[in-house]
Amino acid sequence: MKAFILLTIVALMMIGGVSAQDAGKSPAKSLEVSEVDGVPVLVKHLPDAEEAQARARFIKSPEELRETLGDRPVLKVIEFNGGTEAVEAPYEAGRLLIVEYTNPQGSIDADQKVLQTIAEGGEGAPTAYRRIGNYNVFVFDGTDEAAAAELLDQVKYQKTVQWLGEDPYLLRRVEKYFVTTTRDIFISTVVVIVMGIGGAIVAGIIAGFFYFRFRDRRRERTAAFSDAGGLTRLNLDDLTSEIAVD
């Protein structure tokens, strides 16, 4: 009986050791995977995802990121904490990298660091960069900035960002909305006033032209007269007939 229990314990330990080794060798899994095929949702958000999926690489650590894109200064500010994930895929416009953060604050903090690193310059800088929702999106090794920007336009953040507590950026958005609305109202008011003044001037010129033409024709049809009682008068208004002189 004791021998049987001992053999059972040894077998369980061996099975546990094999399982631990397999777990150590298995790649990191995404926090969100498709229920249909088990592919990470982030991979499915790539432009032309069905075609790009075969050449895409899912990234879960700084080591994998450097292995995929090399040792670039801008990549050193990206931290894979709290479930941060990334995916890289090559396109004609360049190598697209999407880094997804689990909350807006993480994406905003990374965005500020990335912009500061890009402003400092150096080798390995991205051809194009943009923050889209909780995505921080890069295009590396591109030759055409316009094509890289078009590639960024195809990346859509398809999740709803909802704060568990108070939105810390509510005041900033309200201020931005107020400034934008005030600017639009001011511009619209100026445009309406200028158009009104211009329209009034044009309408006045046209009305004055037709009025004076009407007066001229009316005066041409009026018979000449003189109020000088038969005396010689100055023909200042050009209404008196000329007097023939022998």
Side-chain angles (χ1 to χ4, degrees):
M1 186 67 181
K2 293 182 179 181
F4 176 75
I5 296 175
L6 181 62
L7 290 174
T8 303
I9 294 175
V10 172
L12 291 175
M13 291 178 63
M14 292 178 62
I15 294 173
V18 172
S19 301
Q21 291 178 1
D22 292 340
K25 293 180 181 178
S26 62
K29 295 182 179 180
S30 172
L31 295 177
E32 295 181 281
V33 296
S34 173
E35 297 180 355
V36 178
D37 51 15
V39 176
V41 175
L42 182 59
V43 176
K44 291 182 173 292
H45 289 178
L46 287 167
D48 300 327
E50 294 183 359
E51 180 182 351
Q53 181 175 331
R55 61 179 187 272
R57 178 168 182 178
F58 188 70
I59 302 171
K60 286 284 293 181
S61 68
E63 292 76 18
E64 293 179 0
L65 185 61
R66 288 194 295 269
E67 181 182 348
T68 303
L69 291 167
D71 191 10
R72 304 171 188 259
V74 71
L75 300 180
K76 295 180 180 179
V77 302
I78 298 177
E79 299 178 356
F80 288 83
N81 298 327
T84 301
E85 302 173 347
V87 63
E88 182 270 342
Y91 291 85
E92 293 184 0
R95 304 178 66 179
L96 179 67
L97 173 66
I98 302 178
V99 181
E100 180 183 11
Y101 290 85
T102 56
N103 56 76
Q105 186 58 50
S107 179
I108 293 172
D109 292 342
D111 178 66
Q112 295 174 352
K113 295 178 181 178
V114 169
L115 292 176
Q116 182 178 357
T117 305
I118 294 176
E120 294 173 355
E123 298 181 358
T127 307
Y129 166 76
R130 188 182 305 168
R131 177 175 175 264
I132 305 172
N134 283 0
Y135 292 162
N136 294 65
V137 190
F138 306 78
V139 177
F140 292 100
D141 303 334
T143 57
D144 187 353
E145 294 185 2
E150 291 180 2
L151 181 59
L152 292 182
D153 292 336
Q154 300 178 41
V155 178
K156 307 297 181 182
Y157 187 73
Q158 303 175 4
K159 300 179 182 179
T160 302
V161 178
Q162 184 174 1
W163 295 90
L164 297 179
E166 295 183 358
D167 186 353
Y169 300 97
L170 178 61
L171 182 60
R172 182 182 301 177
R173 288 204 301 271
V174 171
E175 181 181 357
K176 182 178 180 181
Y177 173 78
F178 175 77
V179 172
T180 304
T181 305
T182 304
R183 180 197 62 192
D184 294 341
I185 294 176
F186 176 77
I187 294 176
S188 301
T189 303
V190 172
V191 170
V192 170
I193 292 175
V194 171
M195 292 181 62
I197 294 176
I201 293 174
V202 173
I205 293 175
I206 295 175
F209 173 78
F210 284 104
Y211 176 76
F212 284 107
R213 289 288 297 172
F214 172 76
R215 289 294 302 272
D216 288 342
R217 291 184 179 181
R218 184 177 181 183
R219 189 174 62 178
E220 290 175 357
R221 294 194 299 268
T222 302
F225 69 95
S226 174
D227 57 355
L231 301 177
T232 302
R233 63 188 296 278
L234 297 176
N235 189 17
L236 299 178
D237 52 11
D238 198 24
L239 295 176
T240 305
S241 301
E242 297 183 3
I243 301 174
V245 179
D246 297 333

